[in-house]
Amino acid sequence: MLRASQYSKGRLGALARVSRAAVGALPRSASVRQYSYQARPDTSEKETIVKLLYNIGSKKEVEQYLRHFSSVESQKFAVIKVGGAVISDDLATLASALTFLNRVGLYPIVVHGAGPQLNKRLEAAKIEARYEDGIRITDGPTLAIAREVFASENRKLVEALERLGTRARPITGGVFVADYLNREKYDRVGKIVHVNREVVESSIRAGCLPILTSLAETPDGQILNVNADIAAGELARVLEPLKIVYLNEKNGLYHGTTGKRIETIHLDEEYEDLLKEPWVRYGTKLKLKEIKELLDTLPRSSSVAIISAEHLHKELFTHSGAGTMIMRGHRLFSEQDLAAVDSDRLRALLMDYDPSIASGETTAASYWQKLAALKKEGGQYWIYGDEPYQVAAVVMRKPGQSIACLDKFVASKAAVLGNITDNAWKLITRDHPQMVWSVPRTDDNLSWHYERADGSWGVGDNIVFWYGVEDWKQISDMVAGKFSVKETSTSTSASAPAGVRAYSTMARRNAVRSAIPSSRRSYSTASPGSPLRVGLIGARGFTGRELIKLIDGHPRFELSHVSSRELAGKPVPNYTKAQLNHVNLSASEVGELAKAGRQAVDVWILALPNNVAAPFVTAIDGAVASLPMKQQPVVVDLSADYRFDTSGEWVYGLPELHRRELTTRNTGRIANPGCYATGSQLGIAPLLPYLDPARLPSVFGVSGYSGAGTKPSPKNDPAFLQDNLIPYAPVNHIHEREIGHSLTRIAQASYPFNARNPLKVQFSPHVAPFFQGIALTLHVPLRLSMSAANVHELFKDFYRGERLVHVTESAPLVRDNAGQHYAAVGGFAVPPHSEGGASASLADRRAVLNVTLDNLLKGAATQAIQNMNIALGIDEYTGIPTPDAPTMSLE
């Protein structure tokens, strides 16, 4: 999600917030711009806003979609239908979203309605709103008011855009020509027979966004009322845009049985079955039929998006999207005989996108021979693809094998943009619940494969992936070549350089991994737009202050209560969304507030010292016991009180290692990890399968004095700390126990340390003269020898896709990490004789590495925000500034 400076009450969505921040901060030239065909934004301004877009998706995704949208004439980018409720309830967000698009050189064409506003005016005029077949009967008095309302709402939107510096042209007539739909039945309601596109195109040539009402005119000048959805559809039929967007406050279509948002609908593949669903009826069925009829008349490159204004940018510029995307797509096929497919078209696709065939290393004819030989030997193969051959896959199974091998997976850019690859993947995995495949390290889309695999192993120049395979013997056989995986190759685009790795990531995939940030569209449980109220208990400490800053910058969170015994009555600093004073809430008072569930407070954060949280937790639990789980507030405890919970009521909140628990165990109670414990676990977790069971890892830790809290002591006295380093709690530090306890929980039974043989660590903490930040040096004994390069690659693969863990080759430094929201892991080293394999001495079989993090941020406040985001079903990184790449990497 995008983030920027905040606005009143924080009620604008994340995307709208950044839009307004960007358009407010970037200067507009005072001189009159010169236009050739159309106005273009200032280059430096466009570059700045494009960089902001990188926060909602990868740089590659954003630039890919920008090129895609910019490849057509401006009027063919998007037709956006805006409901009247969006203008009345979310005008600022809408204007910001449209301005943002315009500042990157795009010209969306807006057609808006005004239904709720018209009903309100008719009621005030004591005119009954009448409908027939869902169509508003429009008599003379109704039409007169409708004209006034449409003009007023059109003017509101145009003025809102121009206040943001975006040129917009109000177009309340002259575009749609209509005949009477049925004059006797509906009176002055029109059926559009012609669209005057020149009116729209002249607006764009002048550098203005066209803002249209849906009113039409007969050839002799009679105004007729037309439904805005129908008007937008007719305009789209003429302009043939890439996108037709219907903005609504619900942020998409929702499945009537599961209640979940539907991410994509491929009509050619799913339409008939969708109409058979019992919940698809009345308005939903009519909407789907209208969209299908519209898309059937447009090029297959066109698609419909149903989305809220707040999430418009994510829908347009990322593969994952944010609302519901509907496209014609193509029917997928699966054949088990090459003769049943169009071999010429398959050959053309392979020649364009398969590295081995495109480079001339082999030929399509040779590959056909390979398939024929496999079948002759008693093996099987399956060829998957879509009708236009934008995507193709070949799955093989040799005689006597139980696990299928994905031999090729190639896709054009159009297939990737249209999410056809994901549809093909669903079909393949439905037919083959266990599968293995190999991808060259130089493949540009390795992340796509990592996201869909359960595990991976580096073998020479390739990475072997598997899906649905859990038996280590089978995996070992595959890697050893029993399934000839080295012969396979898959690709979804061109290639890019990559490193070398020799150790499995299975440890992470099965033990600790759930879904990493993915380019796949998936269900979301978040209710878009509405603010989520946060009650903070314990605001005086350093962590409390950081939490206030993060909540102030969060697009969905707002503070409702900030409690501190010492600061009661004083204004809350660093919070701009509202004027708040500190209060002093007792446990019983918190319990009283909690009785209203999420109607009062969505999340309670307990930022209290150890052994203080229990009365507050007891009060909240008692107050909400009779409420349904979804109405109960989330509780995040930052103390150590519940980190060792064995009751199952609390989830340990280290997302990079416990994300699966956080997303599946809906307890609403999260124990936030300790700062030292977070960094130490991030440094040990990738090595869990390789630990020496006879020796213990040791951690030497140094923290800034903010870690000692605000209560005066020698450990937070700058004068005493000057030119000094203070050791403390040399044994049995609570984080020492937490590190071992929590890592044991994620360890598999086959690991050297597991539930039957719990892991323990040796931890030595120290306090240094700097204010914030933690440096850890870890010595990790191993049961086998590894090179430093091996360890580095292992960590890179383990934390691939994790935006708050950066793996660097060099040792990270506290001064570079202080004030940052991520942990950095690097400085990998091994003793000089440790690469001697089995002959290496016991002392030499170890890895040394460094971890840094900010104890107040990733070690506390940032991690709490991460956990709150997950618990409330919104994007995990919302409200957390995350740089595009590790700032300290020397690679």
Side-chain angles (χ1 to χ4, degrees), residues 451-495:
E451 289 162 8
R452 285 151 185 80
D454 288 335
S456 64
W457 198 299
V459 181
D461 294 331
N462 295 310
I463 296 178
V464 178
F465 294 94
W466 57 85
Y467 172 90
V469 185
E470 297 184 358
D471 185 88
W472 272 96
K473 178 69 165 60
Q474 289 180 305
I475 294 166
S476 177
D477 287 344
M478 289 187 299
V479 175
K482 182 175 179 180
F483 294 106
S484 300
V485 293
K486 287 187 280 189
E487 298 175 7
T488 68
S489 83
T490 62
S491 176
T492 49
S493 81
S495 50

Side-chain angles (χ1 to χ4, degrees), residues 561-573:
H561 306 82
V562 181
S563 179
S564 169
R565 184 177 69 254
E566 293 87 349
L567 301 176
K570 296 181 180 178
V572 175

Side-chain angles (χ1 to χ4, degrees), residues 749-764:
S750 59
Y751 289 177
F753 293 98
N754 50 46
R756 294 187 305 276
N757 180 32
L759 174 67
K760 295 182 179 180
V761 300
Q762 300 166 327
F763 175 55
S764 305

Side-chain angles (χ1 to χ4, degrees), residues 118 122 127 130 137-148 180 183 186-189 222-223 225:
L118 177 56
L122 290 174
I127 298 174
R130 295 178 296 141
I137 297 173
T138 308
D139 56 17
T142 299
L143 183 62
I145 293 176
R147 292 181 65 186
E148 293 178 11
Y180 287 93
R183 191 166 187 177
Y186 307 118
D187 206 347
R188 293 164 199 186
V189 174
Q222 172 62 50
I223 303 295
N225 186 22

Side-chain angles (χ1 to χ4, degrees), residues 516-823:
I516 63 174
S518 167
S519 62
R520 289 173 285 177
R521 301 175 74 94
S522 58
Y523 286 120
S524 169
T525 58
S527 55
S530 58
L532 299 166
R533 295 164 296 277
V534 179
L536 173 59
I537 309 298
R540 178 174 177 267
F542 295 124
T543 298
R545 298 175 195 177
E546 295 296 341
L547 279 164
I548 291 170
K549 294 177 188 176
L550 281 166
I551 293 168
D552 187 57
H554 198 289
R556 292 292 304 279
F557 294 155
E558 63 179 25
L559 286 168
S560 58
H561 306 82
V562 181
S563 179
S564 169
R565 184 177 69 254
E566 293 87 349
L567 301 176
K570 296 181 180 178
V572 175
N574 302 313
Y575 188 69
T576 62
K577 292 181 178 180
Q579 292 293 325
L580 283 180
N581 288 338
H582 290 89
V583 294
N584 180 19
L585 294 176
S586 65
S588 60
E589 289 170 328
V590 169
E592 285 299 313
L593 289 168
K595 287 181 179 178
R598 292 195 183 181
Q599 295 298 316
V601 177
D602 294 281
V603 189
W604 288 101
I605 304 176
L606 306 180
L608 298 165
N610 293 342
N611 304 314
V612 178
F616 292 90
V617 172
T618 300
I620 294 172
D621 286 346
V624 304
S626 61
L627 295 178
M629 178 59 71
K630 65 181 180 180
Q631 294 180 19
Q632 295 184 18
V634 172
V635 179
V636 179
D637 178 38
L638 272 67
S639 76
D641 293 5
Y642 297 96
R643 294 175 192 162
F644 301 88
D645 176 74
T646 57
S647 69
E649 296 179 3
W650 289 78
V651 180
Y652 189 69
L654 181 46
E656 289 77 13
L657 304 183
H658 294 262
R659 190 176 285 114
R660 188 182 301 278
E661 282 187 279
L662 287 164
T663 55
T664 58
R665 284 181 52 200
N666 187 25
T667 67
R669 302 293 181 267
I670 300 171
N672 217 60
C675 51
Y676 277 128
T678 293
S680 300
Q681 290 178 76
L682 294 175
I684 297 173
L687 295 169
L688 280 175
Y690 314 109
L691 296 180
D692 185 339
R695 298 180 292 161
L696 302 180
S698 66
V699 182
F700 182 90
V702 179
S703 172
Y705 61 84
S706 60
T710 56
K711 184 178 179 179
S713 78
K715 289 187 291 184
N716 58 18
D717 181 355
F720 185 79
L721 284 165
Q722 185 175 357
D723 303 322
N724 205 357
L725 186 69
I726 305 175
Y728 68 101
V731 294
N732 204 36
H733 189 288
I734 194 165
H735 287 184
E736 181 177 80
R737 288 178 278 135
E738 181 183 345
I739 296 163
H741 175 81
S742 299
L743 286 174
T744 298
R745 289 173 56 188
I746 64 171
Q748 295 183 35
S750 59
Y751 289 177
F753 293 98
N754 50 46
R756 294 187 305 276
N757 180 32
L759 174 67
K760 295 182 179 180
V761 300
Q762 300 166 327
F763 175 55
S764 305
H766 301 73
V767 180
F770 53 85
F771 177 69
Q772 67 190 104
I774 282 178
L776 302 170
T777 298
L778 292 83
H779 290 253
V780 185
L782 304 175
R783 58 187 172 86
L784 74 171
S785 298
M786 291 187 187
S787 68
N790 291 154
V791 179
H792 184 203
E793 286 297 324
L794 179 65
F795 273 75
K796 283 169 64 178
D797 283 337
F798 191 93
Y799 290 118
R800 190 181 303 275
E802 297 292 355
R803 293 166 65 181
L804 296 184
V805 180
H806 292 169
V807 178
T808 72
E809 186 172 6
S810 61
L813 303 177
V814 170
R815 67 181 183 187
D816 295 328
N817 210 183
Q820 302 295 330
H821 297 269
Y822 55 82

